[in-house]
Amino acid sequence: MNKILDWTQIQEEFQHQWVQLVDYDWPEGEPHPKSGKVRINAPNRKEFNKLVLEAEPVDAARIYVGDHRTPYGTVMSANIARIVS
């Protein structure tokens, strides 16, 4: 994709996918970029990592688009994540 998309457009087109952004604008301290060009996208991390390794290295940002799915019973803290049975 050669077109710069804003974050709303990225969310609409790539919901629940991993994306690699180039030519991105990501203000320091913000949780999401303002805009960028989607260079690589994949529905899961394994496929995404494979595609990134096959592509030529570039300065890029990686982000998951959508809500993070934490399994039921996962307890999060600043230093650990553990599964409660």
Side-chain angles (χ1 to χ4, degrees), residues 9-76:
Q9 292 169 311
I10 293 169
Q11 287 178 299
E12 290 171 0
E13 291 188 41
F14 301 97
Q15 190 63 254
H16 302 296
Q17 293 189 46
W18 286 90
V19 298
Q20 183 185 66
L21 299 174
V22 294
D23 297 332
Y24 59 90
D25 177 13
W26 198 329
E28 189 173 331
E30 293 296 319
H32 305 292
K34 280 187 167 184
S35 62
K37 291 180 187 176
V38 175
R39 178 175 184 235
I40 296 172
N41 65 289
N44 61 61
R45 185 87 183 250
K46 185 176 180 177
E47 179 66 19
F48 177 78
N49 288 339
K50 179 180 173 232
L51 294 171
V52 168
L53 289 173
E54 292 172 354
E56 182 139 350
V58 296
D59 176 29
R62 300 176 182 189
I63 189 168
Y64 179 75
V65 181
D67 298 328
H68 294 280
R69 300 177 190 133
T70 304
Y72 176 77
T74 301
V75 177
M76 303 296 283

